[in-house]
Amino acid sequence: MNLAHLLTRASHIWPDNCAISRGAQLHATYRQFAERAARIGASLRRDYALNTGDRVALVMKNQPEYLEALYGIWHAGLVAVPVNAKLHEREFAYIFSDSGARLCFVSPELAGKVGDSITTVVTPGEEWQRMQHAEAAPVVEVDRDDIAWLFYTSGTTGKPKGAMLSHHNLRQMLLAFFVDVEQLDAADSMLHPAPLSHGSGLYNFAALYSGANQVIPASGGFDPAEIFALIAHYPGAFFFAAPTMVKRLVEATDARSADTSNLKNIIYGGGPMYVADLKAAMAFFGNKLGQIYGQGECPMTITTLTRAMHRDASDARLASVGVAQSVVQVKVVDERGVEQPAGSVGEICVRGEVVMRGYWQRPEANASAFRDGWLYTGDMGVFDADGFLTLKDRVKDLIISGGSNIYPREVEEVLLLHAAVLEVSVVGFPHPEWGEEVVAFVACHVGLNATEAELDQLCLDSIARFKRPKRYVFVDSLPKNNNGKILKTALRDMLSLEDVSSSST
Ligand code: AMP
């Protein structure tokens, strides 16, 4: 059941196919990829005395060696701990200590940031080269429930927790990909503009299982001009992107001249895609967009709004995250855990074999995340009569003002209708009279302006009066984490600071 067998399989079926490319250059065929992984895995056990179940961290930007290191780790029966490369040094140290990682693969440019609390292998570097010449050993067998990937949650609030994803969980995710998301084949290319430590990396199994080429942008990051060039270069181009990336592609200056005829499909997810942005993306890319809703705790696999479901869809359907994927059951419950009928908003719960085994060494977090075998996602949502789920907001982002529930997403959708508005985020802030008041953070397109009066009028035209923001804060851009998720906690902190400074003046 070791995921490393997927690579062995691919190397037998497609030994000479491109497995990994860097930009337009071949980095490794499947045979080379499998050989390197086997040698790296052997070296990890032999030279570093690591044993089955030991954790190995990856603090790497997107680069071809990322995939080789991952499969080396699995080959040796070890647990991969992919870390968001944009975290702070203190956060790296926290994850090393929380996971008990014994070794860390690190990109040369990040080597100075990981400190000396852990043994490092600079990748690529001298030691990495040496490991690739170690004598290969067979794949170390593991149990299906052994952990393959310790997925640290993005930690938009509180300390990140490690979601334990087993080899079996990830095989279930792979199965659902082919049933519910997309079909790939050996002529396709999976681009990786989004971080390999998260969704894009999780989708690597689908490329590997299909014999497709995995293309790492030479810049190691997300640059619209480079992505358009890669799409033009690689037939059957497929990739996962955060909604903010899709928006940036559509609005990029290179978009007008881009040839996207090679594009097979973009799967977006990981954060809300606003209907206005989605329509703009569909007008630009055509019917080549699909959506998934998932979370680290249930990787990539809660619901899907497939490419076919996007075609001729109503606005309400485009605003949804689609239907339950095949390997899970999804329900919406009230505060007492009672399942709600279609039309009623509640917390989204999911169960199935793709759901994580639990949080690493967090009994209390596990006790509140799991009840009666269901994972409580912390997301609010509502099913329609046809089984399409619409996300509201995180339970903790819900605003309760004057006793009424206000879902920030609903207000954000309205404010985005203003032509000058680039991005927006709505949060609740404590208010002595109302409990919370609605505050909108608004960033406008360069050179354009929206006034409070115009935005207020838009709200009056579309939503109930009590949902209108009482306060607007205009900013140049909104704070986001590495995955493009807007950090509402940082926005609330900004308001608290403002409050402190205005009360002290
Ligand atoms: P992470 O564990 O970092 O992948 O974050 C998962 C969270 O991102 C989910 O619990 C949702 O709140 C949000 N999310 C994921 N997919 C979507 C989506 N398609 N639309 C809106 N929010 C999403």
Side-chain angles (χ1 to χ4, degrees):
M1 292 307 272
N2 190 328
L3 290 164
H5 290 304
L6 296 180
L7 177 55
T8 315
R9 170 186 176 276
S11 74
H12 289 156
I13 309 176
W14 305 283
D16 299 317
N17 272 29
C18 288
I20 311 175
S21 297
R22 182 182 153 83
Q25 305 288 320
L26 170 71
H27 175 82
T29 61
Y30 271 103
R31 183 191 285 118
Q32 291 168 326
F33 182 8
E35 275 172 15
R36 282 178 206 165
R39 290 175 193 274
I40 290 158
S43 171
L44 285 171
R45 288 187 84 99
R46 213 176 289 136
D47 305 324
Y48 292 93
L50 297 179
N51 286 311
T52 308
D54 282 344
R55 275 80 58 211
V56 176
L58 299 101
V59 175
M60 295 170 77
K61 62 182 187 56
N62 281 10
Q63 55 186 91
E65 296 82 5
Y66 205 116
L67 297 167
E68 294 169 341
L70 267 183
Y71 280 87
I73 292 167
W74 291 325
H75 194 100
L78 308 171
V79 178
V81 187
V83 183
N84 177 346
K86 290 203 178 142
L87 292 182
H88 188 274
E89 294 167 36
R90 279 210 306 274
E91 295 168 307
F92 290 151
Y94 173 80
I95 291 176
F96 297 154
S97 132
D98 189 69
S99 64
R102 297 206 27 220
L103 183 115
C104 176
F105 288 107
V106 60
S107 303
E109 49 276 68
L110 295 170
K113 284 185 72 184
V114 294
D116 48 18
S117 67
I118 193 164
T119 305
T120 54
V121 173
V122 177
T123 309
E126 259 173 52
E127 175 57 7
W128 172 256
Q129 289 307 332
R130 195 201 56 73
M131 290 175 88
Q132 285 186 49
H133 292 100
E135 194 182 326
V139 171
V140 173
E141 293 304 335
V142 294
D143 288 335
R144 60 171 237 164
D145 292 333
D146 282 349
I147 311 166
W149 186 312
L150 206 47
F151 184 107
Y152 272 84
T153 54
S154 41
T156 47
T157 52
K159 289 260 185 241
K161 298 186 284 284
M164 298 186 284
L165 304 178
S166 68
H167 288 261
H168 183 64
N169 292 151
L170 295 173
R171 275 186 184 256
Q172 288 285 308
M173 179 191 74
L174 174 61
L175 203 67
F177 177 92
F178 292 120
V179 176
D180 299 304
V181 179
E182 185 54 283
Q183 297 293 314
L184 298 177
D185 65 46
D188 291 332
S189 289
M190 181 181 283
L191 316 184
H192 286 296
L196 284 167
S197 54
H198 284 70
S200 211
L202 286 165
Y203 270 175
N204 95 84
F205 303 110
L208 198 93
Y209 198 78
S210 315
N213 184 13
Q214 300 199 61
V215 181
I216 316 289
S219 69
F222 174 69
D223 168 22
E226 185 179 25
I227 300 308
F228 282 126
L230 291 175
I231 294 172
H233 186 76
Y234 286 107
F238 167 95
F239 60 95
F240 173 76
T244 46
M245 290 178 167
V246 177
K247 185 175 165 75
R248 279 184 60 196
L249 284 172
V250 174
E251 292 176 356
T253 42
D254 316 83
R256 263 163 271 144
S257 57
D259 172 7
T260 59
S261 52
N262 272 340
L263 181 68
K264 179 164 179 151
N265 200 358
I266 303 175
I267 299 296
Y268 62 89
M273 171 66 103
Y274 298 102
V275 174
D277 293 339
L278 178 55
K279 283 182 164 172
M282 290 170 69
F284 179 72
F285 288 112
N287 187 217
K288 293 181 175 182
L289 289 139
Q291 180 183 195
I292 60 100
Y293 156 53
Q295 56 177 205
E297 294 82 346
C298 188
M300 313 300 269
T301 316
I302 303 178
T303 63
T304 178
L305 188 73
T306 64
R307 194 151 40 123
M309 290 170 184
H310 279 71
R311 194 178 300 126
D312 304 324
S314 63
D315 281 10
R317 206 145 265 190
L318 290 179
S320 82
V321 292
V323 297
Q325 293 198 34
S326 55
V327 298
V328 290
Q329 233 182 313
V330 183
K331 68 176 181 181
V332 161
V333 301
D334 67 10
E335 307 79 47
R336 293 162 301 143
V338 177
E339 184 165 358
Q340 296 300 292
S344 295
V345 179
E347 183 169 356
I348 299 164
C349 302
V350 56
R351 73 172 171 193
E353 294 180 33
V354 64
V355 174
M356 68 168 178
R357 284 186 43 203
Y359 293 115
W360 174 255
Q361 295 182 337
R362 293 293 171 93
E364 324 76 54
N366 286 330
S368 67
F370 288 103
R371 275 164 263 166
D372 300 326
W374 291 84
L375 171 74
Y376 279 61
T377 62
D379 291 317
M380 310 278 291
V382 55
F383 274 112
D384 72 9
D386 301 326
F388 284 73
L389 180 69
T390 298
L391 284 197
K392 292 298 179 184
D393 287 278
R394 300 285 300 164
V395 172
K396 57 186 178 301
D397 290 333
L398 176 72
I399 303 171
I400 304 181
S401 188
S404 300
N405 287 358
I406 300 171
Y407 298 103
R409 166 94 186 245
E410 192 185 347
V411 185
E412 290 161 1
E413 294 268 14
V414 172
L415 297 174
L416 274 168
L417 295 173
H418 193 294
V421 173
L422 172 66
E423 47 182 18
V424 63
S425 185
V426 166
V427 298
F429 192 68
H431 187 275
E433 192 178 342
W434 302 108
E436 279 184 296
E437 68 173 351
V438 180
V439 183
F441 283 80
V442 179
C444 288
H445 289 277
V446 178
L448 295 181
N449 273 316
T451 64
E452 283 191 24
E454 287 164 357
L455 294 172
D456 198 47
Q457 189 58 47
L458 257 181
C459 292
L460 283 170
D461 292 343
S462 326
I463 47 174
R465 297 183 76 87
F466 71 90
K467 298 179 183 170
R468 285 148 57 221
K470 299 289 174 303
R471 214 184 330 162
Y472 287 91
V473 182
F474 290 92
V475 288
D476 291 338
S477 64
L478 296 172
K480 299 184 196 74
N481 72 11
N482 194 24
N483 307 318
K485 260 195 244 302
I486 293 169
L487 295 168
K488 293 209 178 213
T489 315
L491 295 175
R492 289 189 205 102
D493 289 349
M494 273 166 68
L495 290 175
S496 310
L497 286 174
E498 253 184 27
D499 239 39
V500 171
S501 61
S502 60
S503 60
S504 61
T505 48

